[in-house]
Amino acid sequence: MKKLLLILLCMPLMFSCTVSFDDDNDDDNENDSKIESYTEVTAQELYSEFTSDNESASETYNNKKIKITGTLEKNIKKGRGGTWYVTLKVKQRFGSVMCHFQKDFNKEDFSNYSINDEVTLIGKCDSYNTMVMVKNCDLFNE
């Protein structure tokens, strides 16, 4: 019953947090402005949704672009596949959100961040198995 109530309360928030922006080109003759859409979520919200109802969260987030904000749990590291990644803290003891950067990510772009700093990334939610995986991340620049 508590899970159902939590889901019902969170649904309006999930749908109201969809944000879009466009990168207007000053050339009025061409209509090639780039429109990109993503869902805005915190690391804790994302992790909690997956742990409370994996199926529903998978439908909502998997293979979709998200703007995720969270606190760095560890410094940036290089994974086995050669890509850089960071983990974002959640309240649960053995949980986290692991964010893998794009292959061409320059580690120096992340040099101003350290453990316990808040960071905002754009990436594609991939899966959940004790931790939420987000791939193809990049730093969000407003």
Side-chain angles (χ1 to χ4, degrees):
M1 184 67 180
K2 288 181 183 179
K3 286 184 182 180
L4 180 60
L5 182 59
L6 179 65
I7 291 168
L8 292 174
L9 291 173
C10 290
M11 290 302 265
L13 290 174
M14 289 187 322
F15 293 112
S16 68
C17 290
T18 300
V19 180
S20 66
F21 66 95
D22 60 17
D23 183 13
D24 289 331
N25 187 344
D26 289 337
D27 188 353
D28 292 332
N29 295 330
E30 295 182 28
N31 188 10
D32 62 350
S33 50
K34 182 179 176 183
I35 298 175
E36 196 167 348
S37 179
Y38 55 83
T39 300
E40 190 170 341
V41 66
T42 67
Q44 183 62 54
E45 290 167 341
L46 185 66
Y47 187 84
S48 293
E49 288 185 47
F50 272 99
T51 56
S52 66
D53 188 350
N54 187 12
E55 188 175 321
S56 176
S58 293
E59 287 178 26
T60 303
Y61 294 107
N62 281 0
N63 297 313
K64 295 185 177 98
K65 199 163 217 170
I66 60 172
K67 175 184 169 188
I68 185 166
T69 301
T71 303
L72 290 175
E73 183 173 54
K74 298 177 182 174
N75 285 324
I76 189 167
K77 293 185 176 195
K78 197 166 202 172
R80 291 182 187 156
T83 58
W84 295 100
Y85 72 92
V86 293
T87 53
L88 303 178
K89 290 181 183 181
V90 295
K91 292 178 185 175
Q92 293 78 354
R93 185 174 179 185
F94 295 109
S96 65
V97 176
M98 183 178 278
C99 301
H100 288 267
F101 291 97
Q102 299 177 28
K103 291 186 186 226
D104 63 350
F105 182 76
N106 182 357
K107 181 186 174 194
E108 297 305 313
D109 292 343
F110 210 77
S111 62
N112 292 332
Y113 294 95
S114 59
I115 296 172
N116 294 322
D117 283 350
E118 185 174 278
V119 64
T120 301
L121 307 170
I122 292 281
K124 188 177 277 191
C125 190
D126 188 38
S127 61
Y128 164 75
N129 187 6
T130 67
M131 69 176 62
V132 179
M133 302 292 283
V134 182
K135 62 183 181 180
N136 297 324
C137 291
D138 206 353
L139 286 168
F140 179 77
N141 296 316
E142 296 185 60

